[in-house]
Amino acid sequence: MVQTATLIDEVKKIFTAFLEKKNLRKTPERFAILEEIYSKQGHFDVESLYVSMKEKNYRVSRATVYNSLDLLVECDLVTKHQFGQNQAQYEKAYGYRQHDHLICTDCNKVVEFCDPRIQNIQNTVGKLLDFEVIHHSLILYGNCIKPDCENKKESK
Amino acid sequence: MVQTATLIDEVKKIFTAFLEKKNLRKTPERFAILEEIYSKQGHFDVESLYVSMKEKNYRVSRATVYNSLDLLVECDLVTKHQFGQNQAQYEKAYGYRQHDHLICTDCNKVVEFCDPRIQNIQNTVGKLLDFEVIHHSLILYGNCIKPDCENKKESK
DNA sequence: CTCGGTGCAAAGCTTTTGCATCCGC
DNA sequence: GCGGATGCAAAAGCTTTGCACCGAG
């Protein structure tokens, strides 16, 4: 990824347009949260996002984090997942390839994968049931079969 | 489904075997919960299961409901889903065709569908990433395109 | 200046846990 | 009778809400 700076600018522009369209205020908190998210790799939950902003001495409340995440999900800049039972997981969604998740039942590690055939399923099922399918969530659960798999060691 | 009685008997047998194998007690509560679940249609959450047992004047605690559900999930007689953010949804899993779910974003109605191609994806991805895939969860999100769709009316 | 957004803390909801009692084995 | 399982209620954990203050437009 060569143009990280450009990506963030692009994302900010999208968010700005979204806020204007919905007549919402462009508060510094909202953009700070957006920046923090796009500077991170992988999945994160509300608490870790909140903590990492606190560590940077940015004054935010959990309520604002939740509120901003909802907005970012609404304008498709962030995706929300419900992997475990509790604690939703989020990840940035823009400028990143569409993908699904494989979760190791031994250690709860999340691995990403792509398979274009899911698109076909989505189309077929939508047509069959008269639904316009907007997005999907596919999670595979399994365990690594390599005997030396690092997953065997760490256990959430 | 012609042999409902037989199905319940079969399921009880499986549960009994599971409990014996794990050296767990065959308590009346556990079997009452199993029966209640297999007498229901569609999805349910812990609270509605708890309430319907109370309504039948069966003395159970929420703790026991949670405990029993965990066991039933473990022996594959019940499936647990995390559709919304909170409140897990469950459904009976034995004697019922494997299927996935389409959720209407307008009314949160859950529709079931089958597509054998998911099996292929599971196999391919598992092989590719050296994982033995045990099960999966595919959820499509969309909205009904029929203008007279009943879903438009009711709104969760 | 307005009123939407924020921080903080309290409340809400689902799920888990502690403990005394109960009952399957 | 022993020790796992239950009922009850309290506690825990994530998320939402109420309210006074702040600051974007």
Side-chain angles (χ1 to χ4, degrees), chain B:
Chain B
M1 191 79 42
V2 195
Q3 351 174 315
T4 307
T6 311
L7 177 70
I8 291 195
D9 289 345
E10 224 173 303
V11 161
K12 280 188 196 166
K13 234 177 268 175
I14 294 172
F15 193 37
T16 303
F18 171 79
L19 292 175
E20 283 172 356
K21 186 182 147 208
K22 298 211 69 169
N23 274 104
L24 297 171
R25 291 185 182 164
K26 299 184 268 296
T27 66
E29 288 84 0
R30 288 176 174 164
F31 283 91
I33 290 170
L34 176 61
E35 272 195 61
E36 181 60 31
I37 291 172
Y38 271 78
S39 74
K40 278 166 143 5
Q41 285 305 318
H43 307 91
F44 60 91
D45 55 42
V46 174
E47 192 58 23
S48 70
L49 178 58
Y50 174 74
V51 168
S52 63
M53 298 207 67
K54 282 286 178 190
E55 277 168 358
K56 290 181 179 172
N57 292 313
Y58 200 97
R59 191 165 173 278
V60 269
S61 66
R62 254 172 271 264
T64 302
V65 173
Y66 277 103
N67 167 46
S68 300
L69 278 172
D70 283 349
L71 293 175
L72 290 169
V73 167
E74 197 183 335
C75 67
D76 291 320
L77 290 176
V78 169
T79 314
K80 181 175 186 174
H81 301 290
Q82 205 69 39
F83 291 144
Q85 318 321 326
N86 35 13
Q87 209 157 324
Q89 298 270 103
Y90 296 83
E91 69 181 328
K92 54 191 174 196
Y94 187 78
Y96 196 54
R97 73 186 196 288
Q98 115 72 33
H99 63 273
D100 288 284
H101 299 95
L102 171 59
I103 300 182
C104 179
T105 48
D106 287 338
C107 65
N108 291 316
K109 188 176 161 182
V110 178
V111 180
E112 300 178 356
F113 69 87
C114 295
D115 196 310
R117 289 175 292 181
I118 297 157
Q119 194 58 50
N120 300 335
I121 294 178
Q122 217 171 277
N123 295 342
T124 309
V125 175
K127 214 166 289 175
L128 194 68
L129 299 176
D130 277 319
F131 269 81
E132 186 191 2
V133 178
I134 309 295
H135 66 281
H136 72 265
S137 156
L138 172 60
I139 305 175
L140 304 183
Y141 297 89
N143 43 71
C144 190
I145 53 181
K146 285 187 291 187
D148 62 330
C149 173
E150 53 170 314
N151 294 351
K152 302 287 181 192
K153 295 167 199 162
E154 31 170 317
S155 180
K156 183 196 168 179

Side-chain angles (χ1 to χ4, degrees), chain A residues 25 27 59-61 64 67:
Chain A
R25 290 188 182 161
T27 66
R59 191 166 174 274
V60 270
S61 66
T64 301
N67 167 45

Side-chain angles (χ1 to χ4, degrees), chain A residues 7-127:
Chain A
L7 177 70
I8 291 195
D9 290 344
E10 224 174 303
V11 160
K12 280 188 197 168
K13 235 178 267 177
I14 294 171
F15 194 36
T16 304
F18 171 79
L19 293 174
E20 283 172 358
K21 186 181 147 209
K22 299 210 69 169
N23 274 104
L24 297 171
R25 290 188 182 161
K26 299 184 268 293
T27 66
E29 287 84 0
R30 288 177 174 165
F31 284 90
I33 290 169
L34 176 60
E35 270 194 63
E36 182 60 32
I37 291 172
Y38 271 79
S39 75
K40 277 165 142 8
Q41 285 304 320
H43 306 90
F44 61 91
D45 55 41
V46 174
E47 192 58 23
S48 71
L49 178 58
Y50 173 74
V51 168
S52 61
M53 298 207 64
K54 282 287 179 191
E55 278 170 357
K56 290 181 180 172
N57 293 311
Y58 200 97
R59 191 166 174 274
V60 270
S61 66
R62 255 171 271 263
T64 301
V65 173
Y66 277 104
N67 167 45
S68 301
L69 278 171
D70 283 349
L71 294 175
L72 291 168
V73 168
E74 197 182 334
C75 66
D76 292 320
L77 289 176
V78 168
T79 314
K80 182 174 184 174
H81 301 290
Q82 206 69 40
F83 291 143
Q85 317 321 326
N86 36 14
Q87 210 157 323
Q89 298 270 101
Y90 295 83
E91 69 181 328
K92 53 190 175 197
Y94 187 79
Y96 196 55
R97 71 187 199 286
Q98 116 72 34
H99 62 274
D100 288 284
H101 300 96
L102 170 60
I103 300 181
C104 179
T105 49
D106 287 338
C107 64
N108 291 316
K109 187 176 162 183
V110 178
V111 180
E112 301 179 356
F113 70 88
C114 296
D115 197 312
R117 290 174 292 183
I118 297 156
Q119 195 58 48
N120 301 333
I121 293 178
Q122 215 170 279
N123 295 341
T124 309
V125 174
K127 214 166 287 176

Side-chain angles (χ1 to χ4, degrees), chain A residues 135-153:
Chain A
H135 65 279
H136 72 264
S137 156
L138 171 61
I139 305 174
L140 305 183
Y141 297 89
N143 44 69
C144 190
I145 53 181
K146 285 186 291 187
D148 63 330
C149 174
E150 53 169 315
N151 295 352
K152 302 287 181 194
K153 295 166 198 164

